Amino acid sequence: MSFVCKATRTAFNRVAGSSNRFVLSLTEPRKLLDCESFSLSNLSNDVPIKANSPIGTITHSGFEITEADEMYHTVWQNVDGLKEEVRLSPLFREGARVTKVLVEDFDTFEVGDALLEIEGSVEQ
């Protein structure tokens, strides 16, 4: 089972052989950005994550379109240190937990790569 949550801009794929473990990845952003780092929120295994709550923060840099016209001319602006919250999909039931951060080197990380492993049940 896999699904994309447009509300949180995340994709979830079930870990093979598991009924309640999922790998979280980011979907395409609206800006051309490189992920520089990810910091996990202060989460504890004792406290479950609520649906749609922040899991962590990813820091980006890169370029974004600031204006465009009908002749396909675009103006780009450099963006550094842009922070974006990564949220748990609202489709998860109460009691989800982060079991692993799967990225160690953000020099090679790209959108679509596995970021976290989540344990929890999903509403069908």
Side-chain angles (χ1 to χ4, degrees):
M1 170 190 189
S2 63
F3 63 94
V4 173
C5 179
K6 291 182 180 180
T8 59
R9 208 176 61 74
T10 51
F12 295 85
N13 292 302
R14 181 169 279 149
V15 173
S18 173
S19 63
N20 66 343
R21 285 187 185 255
F22 295 84
V23 173
L24 176 149
S25 58
L26 303 176
T27 60
E28 289 295 325
R30 290 178 211 79
K31 303 173 185 176
L32 297 176
L33 300 172
D34 290 327
C35 301
E36 294 179 344
S37 65
F38 176 75
S39 59
L40 200 58
S41 294
N42 293 327
L43 300 174
S44 166
N45 281 337
D46 301 335
V47 179
I49 306 167
K50 294 179 180 173
N52 203 31
S53 62
I55 299 171
T57 304
I58 199 155
T59 304
H60 302 280
S61 67
F63 299 95
E64 69 179 337
I65 296 174
T66 57
E67 56 185 270
D69 64 23
E70 66 279 353
M71 298 299 294
Y72 304 104
H73 299 114
T74 55
V75 177
W76 295 82
Q77 175 182 347
N78 192 15
V79 177
D80 282 322
L82 178 69
K83 307 262 187 222
E84 176 186 7
E85 281 187 333
V86 176
R87 295 183 165 271
L88 184 65
S89 170
L91 297 175
F92 274 87
R93 293 189 184 127
E94 189 83 24
R97 300 182 195 308
V98 173
T99 56
K100 264 189 233 177
V101 176
L102 300 171
V103 177
E104 293 180 13
D105 182 8
F106 273 91
D107 289 338
T108 59
F109 180 80
E110 294 184 15
V111 169
D113 290 348
L115 180 62
L116 298 170
E117 187 175 284
I118 307 280
E119 183 177 27
S121 49
V122 177
E123 294 182 17
Q124 299 283 333

